[in-house]
Amino acid sequence: MTEMTETLPDEDELNRQIVANLQDGLIVLDSERRYRAWNKGMEAMSGLPASQVLGRRPEELFPFLKAAGAFDLFDRALAGETVSSDDFPYEVPGTGRKGWSWQTMAPLRNHQGDIVGIIITVREVTQRRRTEEQLQQAQKLDLMGRVASGLAHDFNNLLTVVQGNLELAQLHLDDAPVTRKCLQEATAAAERATGLARRLLAFSRPAKVDYALVDLNVVVSDALPMFATLAGARTHVQTHLTPLPAWVRAATGQIGQVLMNLVVNARDALPAEGGSIVLETSRALMSPLEHPAVCLSVTDNGHGMDAETQARIFEPFFTTKGSAGTGLGLSVIDTIVRHHGGTIEVQSEPGHGSCFRVWLPQPD
């Protein structure tokens, strides 16, 4: 034991190495709230080297700390308390580093026991927050799926009765044009409602389907005439397809449903005088899926979306179309894409249109 102890560095050097190599961030503020220590963990987290921080005050470098309540915690630590913050978002100006962190603060005392500063430990909790948010979203979707499934089944059963009676009524109807027209309109409405019930069921419990190799270039090309009709004469629909086959393993019908929903949404986002919709396929070795993938994108030059709207567009029953929308279109396609092992990205700004990118795994 004595030999091992003798090989260790002295206490000051040992403490210096411990502080320098901590994975968590470690900060020391003096009694005037100036940075006196900024370890490698903080350099990695913030993107700022110690040379740019030491001697400066928190308010000069990190304006987000005030909203996070950090300055009140500084006062309490300097008064002798050991305190912890809640998780709070950070974004470091100039470096682009952002995420979530958690801090503990304790008074720093000299040999006489006087408080001369604050020792702060900072833990990066961004990944934990993301995992928690994903879990909450999954739980929310599961709950909404259960509710939607029950409603859809009951709704579908009622519609079956309504449609059956409407068909019988038309069979036994004498030549009464007005009444027949009313029955036909009621039948058409019931058929539309049945389609809504199917979408509810698709969201809550996607049907088992057969997957096969599908070339997205072919899917887009085959559907282009229909998309042009849907978009209307004032909208220019164009394609940019990768020259190589865009193979994915997918259910053709479901991928067509994804594409149809995105085109309809793009059309609805355009101004009354029309605009343009661009359908594009591409292949990428690097993708959000972290392996080779094929990207199917739909871009419009419509009114775009703010960040708050973008955060909610895949929520079941959320719609910006008022009574004209069910709020299920994007929820259903998000479910379909996830069941294909893919993901959807959205890029949009108010007044600058939107781009939806569907990434699907490239088959081996």
Side-chain angles (χ1 to χ4, degrees):
M1 181 66 69
T2 303
E3 291 180 0
M4 182 179 295
T5 303
E6 289 174 351
T7 63
L8 293 175
D10 61 36
E11 185 176 353
D12 288 343
E13 176 61 17
L14 180 62
N15 290 337
R16 188 193 68 78
Q17 291 190 35
I18 291 172
V19 168
N21 292 285
L22 281 174
Q23 294 300 307
D24 288 343
L26 190 140
I27 301 169
V28 173
L29 293 178
D30 63 21
S31 58
E32 296 181 353
R33 295 184 182 175
R34 293 185 183 277
Y35 289 106
R36 295 303 180 189
W38 186 265
N39 77 336
K40 291 181 180 178
M42 284 307 305
E43 290 184 339
M45 190 182 307
S46 67
L48 292 176
S51 60
Q52 293 185 23
V53 176
L54 298 182
R56 302 179 70 179
R57 298 177 185 272
E59 57 267 30
E60 297 177 51
L61 297 169
F62 311 113
F64 58 83
L65 289 175
K66 184 175 183 180
F71 293 106
D72 293 333
L73 298 181
F74 294 158
D75 290 337
R76 291 170 60 186
L78 287 171
E81 291 186 62
T82 297
V83 292
S84 298
S85 70
D86 295 326
D87 295 350
F88 65 88
Y90 69 84
E91 184 167 1
V92 181
T95 69
R97 302 291 178 86
K98 59 182 179 179
W100 289 78
S101 69
W102 172 84
Q103 299 185 357
T104 60
M105 304 184 192
L108 174 65
R109 300 177 186 271
N110 61 17
H111 290 296
Q112 289 73 41
D114 299 324
I115 296 174
V116 295
I118 309 169
I119 298 176
I120 305 171
T121 56
V122 183
R123 175 158 294 181
E124 175 80 55
V125 295
T126 303
Q127 187 56 51
R128 174 173 64 76
R129 292 284 304 201
R130 287 175 179 166
T131 301
E132 289 174 352
E133 289 171 0
Q134 289 170 355
L135 177 60
Q136 290 172 359
Q137 180 68 5
Q139 290 172 335
K140 181 178 180 181
L141 288 172
D142 180 63
L143 176 61
M144 295 300 296
R146 293 173 186 271
V147 172
S149 180
L151 288 174
H153 278 296
D154 291 343
F155 190 34
N156 201 48
N157 290 338
L158 292 172
L159 284 171
T160 301
V161 176
V162 170
Q163 287 179 300
N165 281 279
L166 286 171
E167 290 172 2
L168 288 172
Q170 290 187 71
L171 289 174
H172 294 85
L173 183 67
D174 294 331
D175 191 14
V178 174
T179 306
R180 184 174 296 280
K181 182 179 180 182
C182 290
L183 285 174
Q184 289 172 343
E185 290 181 356
T187 301
E191 289 173 352
R192 289 195 297 272
T194 301
L196 173 58
R198 290 197 190 100
R199 278 185 284 169
L200 278 166
L201 286 169
F203 160 69
S204 61
R205 189 192 61 209
K208 292 183 178 179
V209 293
D210 293 326
Y211 293 85
L213 283 177
V214 176
D215 184 356
L216 292 184
N217 289 341
V218 175
V219 175
V220 173
S221 298
D222 288 350
L224 191 58
M226 178 178 61
F227 292 155
T229 301
L230 275 174
R234 296 182 178 181
T235 301
H236 180 52
V237 180
Q238 54 184 313
T239 61
H240 297 301
L241 306 181
T242 175
L244 297 173
W247 293 112
V248 295
R249 187 168 295 279
T252 306
Q254 289 194 347
I255 294 302
Q257 183 180 354
V258 168
L259 191 53
M260 173 75 73
N261 271 279
L262 292 178
V263 169
V264 169
N265 280 354
R267 178 202 63 189
D268 293 344
L270 296 176
E273 61 271 19
S276 68
I277 299 174
V278 180
L279 311 177
E280 185 173 0
T281 61
S282 59
R283 294 156 47 119
L285 294 177
M286 299 296 293
S287 74
L289 303 179
E290 298 183 352
H291 51 72
V294 175
C295 181
L296 170 64
S297 66
V298 178
T299 306
D300 66 73
N301 62 347
H303 51 66
M305 296 177 285
D306 57 27
E308 184 178 356
T309 301
Q310 290 182 61
R312 300 191 61 193
I313 54 175
F314 295 111
E315 291 182 10
F317 308 112
F318 175 77
T319 180
T320 59
K321 300 177 184 179
S323 59
T326 64
L328 286 172
L330 287 174
S331 329
V332 170
I333 69 171
D334 181 49
T335 301
I336 291 172
V337 171
R338 285 189 290 107
H339 276 268
H340 279 73
T343 189
I344 304 179
E345 290 183 325
V346 184
Q347 183 178 352
S348 184
E349 290 183 25
H352 292 85
S354 301
C355 178
F356 285 78
R357 294 185 180 90
V358 176
W359 293 92
L360 297 172
Q362 189 171 310
D364 297 331

